[in-house]
Amino acid sequence: VNDKNLATELPLLRVCGSASENPHMRAFWASTISFFLAFFGWFALTPVALEVATSIGICENQLFPPEKFPTRPAYLTYKDLTSGLTY
């Protein structure tokens, strides 16, 4: 860091050091880790959440039975396998 507080080098693997010695790399790694966590939380946990909800018995068919709620958007395109009628 020079006297104008600008980075003069890009040491990617130097994560230790004080805030006055290494402020730009701390910001770089903090934003990189934050982006990874946001990406992971947005895309990777959604399929897992559906599997967990099904395994503990909380799925949409159990919370809202098609017989009582026939106009829910999730049921409008499904057909009953025995009769062939749509819900």
Side-chain angles (χ1 to χ4, degrees), residues 76-87:
L76 295 179
T77 59
Y78 290 124
K79 293 184 178 182
D80 187 3
L81 294 177
T82 57
S83 66
L85 299 174
T86 58
Y87 290 130

Side-chain angles (χ1 to χ4, degrees), residues 3-87:
D3 57 347
K4 295 180 183 178
N5 203 23
L6 298 175
T8 57
E9 60 180 341
L10 187 63
L12 291 176
L13 298 178
R14 186 174 58 180
V15 292
C16 60
S18 67
S20 62
E21 294 174 356
N22 206 12
H24 299 90
M25 290 315 300
R26 285 183 175 208
F28 171 76
W29 284 114
S31 62
T32 302
I33 291 169
S34 298
F35 176 76
F36 172 75
L37 291 174
F39 187 85
F40 179 75
W42 189 262
F43 291 108
L45 295 181
T46 303
V48 175
L50 292 175
E51 186 65 32
V52 169
T54 305
S55 68
I56 63 174
I58 302 174
C59 66
E60 193 169 5
N61 288 341
Q62 293 170 340
L63 294 175
F64 303 102
E67 295 82 20
K68 292 181 183 176
F69 302 95
T71 58
R72 284 188 62 81
Y75 301 141
L76 295 179
T77 59
Y78 290 124
K79 293 184 178 182
D80 187 3
L81 294 177
T82 57
S83 66
L85 299 174
T86 58
Y87 290 130

